[in-house]
Amino acid sequence: MSEQTAKKELVPYEHHAKYYETDQMGCVHHSNYLRWMEEARLDLMEQIDLSYKRMEEMQIISPVLSASLEYKSMVRFDDTVVIETKITRYNGVKLDVEYTMKDKISGEVRTLAKSSHCFLTKEGKPLSLKRTYPEIDKILSEYLSV
């Protein structure tokens, strides 16, 4: 992202619940929400011109350190969920992302979630983006929600 480029307005990620994601009770199985979080996070990173593919080409990996979810109401087959993502903490070494999953039609909150990540070299050594990749550090700092 160049100096002249303005901060982009982020577009929420949408996921259309599939039949195979449901359980015997007809609602989406809880394990799928983690996948949706990853899909939404990857989408967020692409929107800010920092795709995981680009990071991996730069020999940067970003594993999940923790994830937490709070289920508010059920998602069922054929529902579309709008997932708003925001970076809530970033210090050059770690990154926290929050997710608000809402029903597209009613706007009802379905799930609130958080995930924490770190940055490592391909060899698994901790990596400070501030020191090693200041251009990436600048992008992530710009999208940090305060």
Side-chain angles (χ1 to χ4, degrees):
M1 184 179 275
S2 70
E3 295 283 337
Q4 294 82 20
T5 307
K7 182 177 168 181
K8 294 179 186 176
E9 185 71 30
L10 299 177
V11 177
Y13 178 76
E14 291 189 13
H15 182 86
H16 187 213
K18 312 294 186 277
Y19 185 77
Y20 70 83
E21 294 174 316
T22 61
D23 60 18
Q24 192 172 16
M25 295 180 291
C27 60
V28 170
H29 190 270
H30 66 275
S31 65
N32 289 293
Y33 293 81
L34 285 168
R35 290 183 182 98
W36 299 355
M37 289 165 62
E38 182 171 327
E39 291 172 11
R41 188 173 60 256
L42 290 171
D43 182 70
L44 166 73
M45 298 299 278
E46 285 182 18
Q47 286 189 60
I48 65 174
D49 298 324
L50 192 54
S51 71
Y52 270 51
K53 181 172 177 56
R54 177 178 165 206
M55 289 177 57
E56 287 183 353
E57 287 169 353
M58 298 172 79
Q59 305 299 303
I60 303 167
I61 58 173
S62 183
V64 175
L65 296 173
S66 65
S68 65
L69 296 93
E70 185 179 342
Y71 304 101
K72 299 290 188 178
S73 60
M74 288 185 256
V75 175
R76 298 189 181 280
F77 164 64
D78 207 34
D79 289 350
T80 297
V81 178
V82 176
I83 306 172
E84 299 168 1
T85 56
K86 64 181 179 180
I87 298 170
T88 57
R89 187 174 73 98
Y90 169 71
N91 65 8
V93 179
K94 291 184 180 177
L95 172 80
D96 290 350
V97 180
E98 285 186 4
Y99 313 79
T100 302
M101 302 181 197
K102 296 179 182 177
D103 182 81
K104 184 174 182 176
I105 295 171
S106 71
E108 182 181 0
V109 174
R110 301 293 188 195
T111 305
L112 299 173
K114 297 177 184 178
S115 62
S116 295
H117 311 263
C118 66
F119 299 99
L120 304 173
T121 65
K122 285 277 189 183
E123 294 75 35
K125 295 185 189 251
L127 182 63
S128 169
L129 296 180
K130 283 184 183 188
R131 281 192 295 244
T132 313
Y133 295 100
E135 68 281 9
I136 293 175
D137 176 70
K138 183 175 186 279
I139 293 169
L140 290 171
S141 295
E142 237 177 70
Y143 285 92
L144 178 62
S145 296
V146 187

